[in-house]
Amino acid sequence: MKSDNVKKGMQQAPHRSLFNALGFTEEEMNKPMIGIVSSYNEIVPGHMNLDKIVNAVKQGVAEAGGVPVVFPAIAVCDGIAMGHIGMKYSLVTRDLIADSTECMALAHQFDGLVMVPNCDKNVPGLLMAAARINVPTVFVSGGPMLAGHVKGQKRSLSSMFEAVGAFSAGTMTEDDVKEFEAKVCPTCGSCSGMYTANSMNCLTEALGMGLQGNGTIPAVYSERIKLAKRAGYAVMDMLEKNIRPRDIMTKEAVINALTVDMALGCSTNSMLHLPAIAHEIGWDFDIAYANEISEKTPNLCHLAPAGPTYMEDLNEAGGVYAVMKQLLDAGLLNGDCMTVTGKTVKENVAKSVNLDPTVIRTMDNPYSTTGGLAVLKGNLAPDGSVVKRSAVVPEMMVHEGPARVFDCEEDAIDAIKSGKIVAGDVVVIRYEGPKGGPGMREMLNPTSAIAGMGLGSSVALITDGRFSGASRGASIGHVSPEAAVGGPIAFVHEGDIISINIPEMKLDIKVSDEELAKRKAEWQPREPKVTTGYLARYEKMVTSGNRGAILELK
């Protein structure tokens, strides 16, 4: 056992004295030591129930013959962090989570791990850590929130942000907003649409790192407690069989996850996190590779914000495995990939059935014959940009309009809410990328303001920042190279015509090559916005969005 490095032999007598201080019995010292990475806290709604999940995991590990030992991981609530300096601290936590978990696991020589995350950066950060540490590891999340109900309709957090825009437009009263405020987030859990947290939890199933239902069983269901106990059993089984994360998270498994992503219509943030996870297993891929997957993968689900269904509906329809079974039968998944069950993908999904074709469409009746995400390239984004095309209305799939240029999110929001943005405009928000932000803030406030003002079918938004999974509309993010490193988005002038062609995967500025070269020669880098603390260190090491905003030593 790996933990023998801190438990066995005369040289480890001092170590054993410290385990004695922890209350370990002699019997426990002879059993595998399983670290349980708890993301529990009292500020994130998706994490407030994780103490119960952790206790169930502990019970499962102990019943299966292991010794459970809990240690923490941080997590930021993107909703609470939205629209102010706090959002600079969201994406950056992904690497803090990976690094700190790596430190704890290797410093204390755990034999196996159970990761208990839920929200946006928490899941990919722990997946990155799992690949680095490479001891038997299972994921069990806290589960999604139930949808809210307002005026007879299911609603979620994206509805809340759009209500603020509707109030600014004069189409919703303050009392209406207060009703939304009281009802859209009715339970604990990760927010109820196919936003980033739920996207990544669903993709743990597709990658093979989570058990069936990990992405979809609602947080408040007792079935989630059972799942946590089974995760405890599963890690002990993996330990016996010596199945490790790098046996599971292979290149083929990442391609499976990309494929499921396209079918589900996941958040654009998955195109930051999957490349970062792939990097940890030694595979760096151009994000445009996703288009190859998308071209042959139909979009089968339109969960909020793209449509009227929610995570609870996907769960009742058969969950992620039901989607995977349809993709496998169509020859679009690699069924031989190993998983945390000790079985292959093909074995896991063999008995899964689509129980509701109105939630999970069949392969012969997809929402579109292509996947939910697209990577656009062109002279405005030579290294790529990302759009959730499944959440774009048909009339905006091809669009040309004048650029309305803003160098920060706040200025754009002020212009939108004061009525300065009109139908046909293309809002450009720059210097919000991983390095320029720093931290690559989500643009949920401006996209929600656009939708709330009734401009969702006539105004596009382009940024080197990123979007919440709750954003919808012609929202194109991760524009790379970013403005802060002299990407072409830095050279856009007010009134330039921007051309968007999502079916052809193109994003261009309609000025000549000579004019772009002239503007580039005149451009000067800006001083960093932050010069102290973690963000300053992050800014010096982070890459652009097309590479997953991974950190590299310069």
Side-chain angles (χ1 to χ4, degrees), residues 184-201:
V184 296
C185 296
T187 71
C188 63
S190 47
C191 297
S192 56
M194 187 55 80
Y195 310 144
T196 307
N198 291 326
S199 295
M200 293 309 302
N201 281 319

Side-chain angles (χ1 to χ4, degrees), residues 84 190 194 250 264 281 322 375:
H84 55 91
S190 47
M194 187 55 80
T250 60
L264 286 173
I281 64 168
V375 174

Side-chain angles (χ1 to χ4, degrees), residues 251-263:
K251 178 179 177 180
E252 292 74 21
V254 173
I255 293 171
N256 276 353
L258 276 168
T259 303
V260 174
D261 184 310
M262 296 299 171

